[in-house]
């Protein structure tokens, strides 16, 4: 067998594998393998020996030099599904190999096998040093992860009632972090019922999550699930990073990419998922270089993968609770205390925490949140409102993008906006909304009440300003895009100056002799939506992230000189 062979037994479904299998599983030429030799070391495996098993820490990319290796995907309650057989010139691995995260597939030697093992650190060095070859390998790693997401391969099994708030929460968390999963409806799936009985799970403990390691979690937090899956590891408390970036939205990821690509040691943290609010955008059409538009998730996933390629250490989800700053002029490091009681140190800190969603001032809102009230419109939410009428509150670009996206799923979309759309939304979106026959716009209007049973919404009430009576509107799903407030509560007590609205002040407005994106505290910088005076656009946030790196270099040179 001379080439990698994709196996299709009519069982494993992956549209990307079917359409781009040659790019997903390329075979390297002998001269290409020779070029990789300086980055790895030789390893041998006997026939029948596992090279990788689901849940085991990833040890890097393995290029097959001789023999054959079968890669397969585990399926719940059945035998493994073969994916590919790698022969000479094939290579094992997907995006997990960039950071040493757990394997999502099993790989077993079909004969005696010799491979070239390239560790995660050496793999990242290779992707940069061997640009053309690195591009081919990086594309394959990305496509393999996409294929696993499409088929649910190697991920956890979530079991619980359909449309349960915690089921949706866990699905959304994994989806936004680009991790495969399988879902079983506890009300209709016989296998799910068997597992619930086997583990004596009570209704109050649903949903449960069966991790690839075999661990069973009962309605876990996102942090507990992430640690069970190996998505986030222990941070070395003795290590001092050049820069710690708090927030992994467009600004934070841009700062991470540019800082790491210029040789800085970077730690990036986010309390939920990479991408921030931009990651939840259905389609971004005014970002430079994407004339046909791109989904926020796709754009942010590219940035996230790019950051990993350059060696950024990702801690997601890890929430920063407190920031301690050194005394001005005394040197020392900034210290971040995390929600899991870990502490980490950095010479510089970038605040990229963006903004948190503004909530509708209507009684009983919290009762419906997570089930019928949503703050973003991803494919997960779109499936909930298929062929049903929905309402959307907001008049900005995010609201317009969401309305157009949802109109492809819902039977009718009603936009409720306090001001004329022309005052707050880009013209191209207004024109697109006008062209959709199933979108209705109510301007100068507001929601006055929510009606439902339990956590399920049945209808809303709305009225125009000046009207006495409200009008009922029968909808089961309500989407809120009414702006955001700065996510700066965690900075209390740090001495970081905020403007009257709570955004971080930077530059000369913050203190004399400060760098353009530096805060009132030396060595702390703010970028993106959290910065006072920033333009609330994805491109502007990414620009901030790129620009701040030159500020960081200047700061590091200053403290380097000060400490000799």
């Amino acid at each position: 067998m001379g080439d990698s062979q994709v196996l299709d037994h009519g069982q494993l479904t992956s549209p990307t594998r079917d359409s781009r299998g040659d790019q997903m599983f390329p075979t390297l030429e002998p001269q290409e393998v020779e070029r990789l030799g300086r980055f790895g070391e030789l390893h041998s495996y006997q026939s029948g020996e596992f090279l990788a098993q689901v849940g085991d820490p990833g040890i890097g990319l393995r290029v097959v030099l001789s023999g054959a290796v079968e890669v397969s995907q585990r399926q719940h309650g059945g035998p493994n599904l073969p994916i590919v057989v790698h022969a000479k010139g094939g290579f094992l691995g997907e995006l997990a190999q960039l950071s040493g995260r757990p394997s999502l597939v099993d790989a077993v030697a079909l004969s005696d096998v010799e491979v070239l093992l390239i560790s995660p650190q050496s793999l990242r060095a290779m992707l940069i040093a061997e640009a053309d070859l690195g591009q081919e390998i990086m594309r394959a790693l990305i496509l393999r992860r996409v294929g696993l997401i499409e088929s649910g391969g190697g991920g956890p099994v979530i079991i619980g009632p359909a449309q349960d708030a915690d089921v949706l929460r866990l699905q959304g968390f994994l989806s936004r972090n680009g991790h495969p999963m399988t879902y079983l409806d506890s009300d209709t799936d016989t296998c799910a019922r068997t597992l619930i009985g086997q583990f004596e799970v009570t209704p109050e403990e649903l949903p449960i999550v069966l991790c690839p390691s075999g661990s069973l979690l009962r309605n876990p937090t996102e942090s507990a699930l992430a640690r069970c899956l190996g998505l986030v590891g222990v941070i070395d408390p003795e290590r001092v990073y050049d820069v710690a970036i708090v927030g992994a939205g467009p600004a934070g990821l841009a700062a991470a990419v540019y800082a790491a690509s210029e040789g800085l040691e970077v730690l990036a943290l986010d309390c939920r998922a990479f991408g921030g609010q931009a990651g939840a955008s259905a389609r971004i059409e005014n970002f430079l270089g994407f004339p046909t538009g791109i989904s926020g998730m796709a754009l942010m996933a590219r940035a996230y993968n790019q950051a990993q390629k350059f060696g950024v250490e990702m801690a997601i989800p890890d929430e920063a609770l407190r920031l301690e700053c050194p005394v001005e002029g005394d040197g020392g490091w900034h210290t971040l205390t995390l929600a899991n009681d870990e502490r980490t140190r950095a010479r510089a800190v970038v605040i990229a925490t963006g903004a948190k969603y503004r909530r509708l001032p209507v009684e009983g809102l919290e009762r419906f949140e997570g089930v019928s009230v949503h703050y973003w419109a991803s494919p997960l939410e779109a499936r909930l409102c298929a062929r049903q009428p929905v309402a959307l509150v907001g008049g900005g670009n995010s609201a317009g993008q969401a309305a157009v996206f949802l109109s492809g799923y819902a039977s009718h979309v009603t936009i409720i906006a306090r001001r004329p759309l022309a005052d707050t939304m880009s013209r191209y979106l207004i024109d697109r909304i006008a062209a959709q026959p199933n979108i209705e716009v109510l301007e100068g209007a507001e929601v006055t009440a929510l009606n439902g049973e339990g956590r399920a919404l049945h209808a809303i009430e709305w009225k125009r300003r000046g009207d006495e009576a409200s009008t009922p509107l029968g909808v089961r799903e309500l989407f809120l895009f009414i702006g955001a407030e700065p996510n700066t509560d965690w900075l209390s007590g740090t001495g970081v100056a905020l403007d009257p609205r709570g955004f971080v002040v930077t530059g000369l407005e913050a203190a004399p002799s400060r760098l353009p994106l530096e805060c009132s505290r030396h060595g702390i910088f703010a970028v993106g939506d959290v910065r006072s005076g920033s333009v609330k656009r994805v491109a502007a946030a990414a620009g901030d992230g790129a620009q701040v790196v030159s500020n960081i270099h200047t700061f590091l040179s200053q403290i380097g000189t000060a400490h000799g």
Side-chain angles (χ1 to χ4, degrees), residues 240-242 324-335 345-349 522-523 555-556 559 562-563:
V240 179
Y241 296 88
D242 290 319
E324 300 170 38
C325 309
V327 176
E328 290 281 330
D330 286 354
W333 319 124
H334 300 89
T335 301
R345 299 178 296 171
R347 296 176 174 85
V349 173
H522 200 38
F555 166 72
L556 292 178
I559 63 172
H563 295 287

Side-chain angles (χ1 to χ4, degrees), residues 62 81 105 142 175 200 207 213 258 265 294 312 344 362 366 369 378 387 415 420-421 443 497 512 525 528 544 551:
R62 277 169 282 200
L81 297 177
V105 296
I142 293 172
S175 175
E200 300 180 344
S213 63
Y258 281 94
E265 293 187 1
I294 184 172
V312 175
T344 186
V362 175
E366 63 282 351
E369 287 178 315
S378 74
R387 297 180 296 280
I415 298 177
L421 295 188
E443 295 182 333
F525 305 84
D544 266 13
N551 285 201

Side-chain angles (χ1 to χ4, degrees), residues 1 3-9 11-12 17 24-26 45 48-55 60-64 67-75 79-97 102-111 113 115 140-141 143-145 147-148 151 153-154:
M1 186 178 295
D3 297 322
S4 296
Q5 294 188 358
V6 179
L7 302 179
D8 187 355
H9 295 177
Q11 304 175 69
L12 186 61
R17 189 196 69 172
M24 189 181 287
F25 302 110
Y45 299 88
E49 187 176 354
F50 278 94
L51 283 74
Q53 288 185 283
V54 172
L61 192 80
R62 277 169 282 200
V63 182
V64 179
V69 180
E70 181 181 79
V71 178
S72 61
Q73 173 182 314
R74 291 186 187 179
Q75 63 169 347
N80 280 20
L81 297 177
I83 298 174
V84 65
V85 170
H86 287 300
K88 183 177 180 180
F91 55 90
L92 289 75
E94 51 92 41
L95 284 176
Q97 308 313 313
S103 175
L104 298 176
V105 296
D106 291 331
V108 64
L110 298 180
S111 62
V113 171
V115 302
L141 301 184
L143 290 175
R144 291 175 187 182
R145 172 58 66 93
L148 289 171
S151 63

Side-chain angles (χ1 to χ4, degrees), residues 551-563:
N551 285 201
I552 293 170
H553 280 301
T554 300
F555 166 72
L556 292 178
S557 67
Q558 291 172 350
I559 63 172
T561 301
H563 295 287

Side-chain angles (χ1 to χ4, degrees), residues 60-402:
L61 192 80
R62 277 169 282 200
V63 182
V64 179
L65 304 179
S66 64
V69 180
E70 181 181 79
V71 178
S72 61
Q73 173 182 314
R74 291 186 187 179
Q75 63 169 347
H76 185 71
N80 280 20
L81 297 177
I83 298 174
V84 65
V85 170
H86 287 300
K88 183 177 180 180
F91 55 90
L92 289 75
E94 51 92 41
L95 284 176
Q97 308 313 313
L98 285 173
S99 53
R101 288 180 175 156
S103 175
L104 298 176
V105 296
D106 291 331
V108 64
L110 298 180
S111 62
D112 290 346
V113 171
E114 186 176 38
V115 302
L116 177 69
L117 173 61
I118 304 176
S119 69
Q121 183 177 357
S122 296
L123 174 58
R124 295 192 296 267
M126 182 278 294
L127 292 174
I128 296 170
E130 296 283 349
D132 294 340
L133 184 53
Q135 177 181 339
E136 180 181 8
I137 292 174
M138 186 70 181
R139 180 173 55 213
L141 301 184
I142 293 172
L143 290 175
R144 291 175 187 182
R145 172 58 66 93
V146 172
L148 289 171
I149 292 173
E150 290 172 344
S151 63
V157 180
I158 300 174
I159 300 172
Q163 297 191 327
D164 176 83
D166 288 311
V167 168
L168 297 176
R169 171 179 61 84
L170 296 174
Q171 286 180 315
F173 167 71
L174 292 174
S175 175
R176 293 193 66 183
N177 280 287
H179 199 279
M181 65 185 140
T182 300
Y183 166 66
L184 300 179
D185 189 338
S186 58
D187 292 331
T188 60
D189 192 284
T190 55
C191 186
R193 291 175 180 173
T194 300
L195 285 170
I196 290 172
Q198 178 182 342
F199 291 106
E200 300 180 344
V201 178
T202 65
E204 294 74 21
E205 294 175 314
L206 292 174
I208 58 173
V209 180
L210 201 58
C211 295
S213 63
S215 299
L216 178 75
L217 306 179
R218 300 168 191 255
N219 196 10
T221 63
E222 293 160 12
S223 177
L225 176 57
R227 292 187 181 277
C228 187
L229 299 177
L231 295 182
V232 60
V234 177
I235 296 176
D236 182 359
E238 300 302 317
R239 183 176 178 183
V240 179
Y241 296 88
D242 290 319
V243 57
I245 301 170
V246 185
L253 287 176
V257 168
Y258 281 94
S261 68
E262 294 180 15
L264 299 182
E265 293 187 1
V266 182
L267 171 68
L269 307 106
D270 197 285
C271 65
R272 179 168 171 78
F274 65 82
Q277 293 188 43
S281 295
R283 180 160 294 273
I284 300 172
E285 297 191 65
N286 56 358
F287 193 85
L288 186 67
F290 293 91
T292 59
I294 184 172
S295 74
M297 183 63 189
L299 181 64
M300 292 298 96
R302 293 183 185 194
Y304 177 72
N305 294 334
Q306 196 173 14
Q308 289 189 95
K309 169 184 173 181
F310 286 116
V312 175
E313 183 173 341
M314 292 289 183
I316 302 174
D318 253 346
E319 182 178 7
L321 295 183
R322 188 169 63 255
L323 172 61
E324 300 170 38
C325 309
V327 176
E328 290 281 330
D330 286 354
W333 319 124
H334 300 89
T335 301
L336 287 165
T337 301
L338 309 182
N340 58 12
D341 293 329
E342 287 184 319
R343 290 164 64 88
T344 186
R345 299 178 296 171
R347 296 176 174 85
V349 173
V350 174
I351 301 169
T353 46
K356 50 191 176 184
Y357 297 106
R358 189 171 293 140
R359 302 171 76 241
L360 199 66
V362 175
E363 185 178 352
L365 174 70
E366 63 282 351
R367 195 173 102 210
F368 303 106
E369 287 178 315
V371 177
S372 299
V373 173
H374 314 281
Y375 292 89
W376 52 80
S378 74
L380 184 64
E381 288 75 35
R383 287 194 294 270
L384 297 177
C385 61
R387 297 180 296 280
Q388 297 183 48
V390 302
L392 184 149
V393 183
N397 278 3
S398 295
Q401 292 161 355

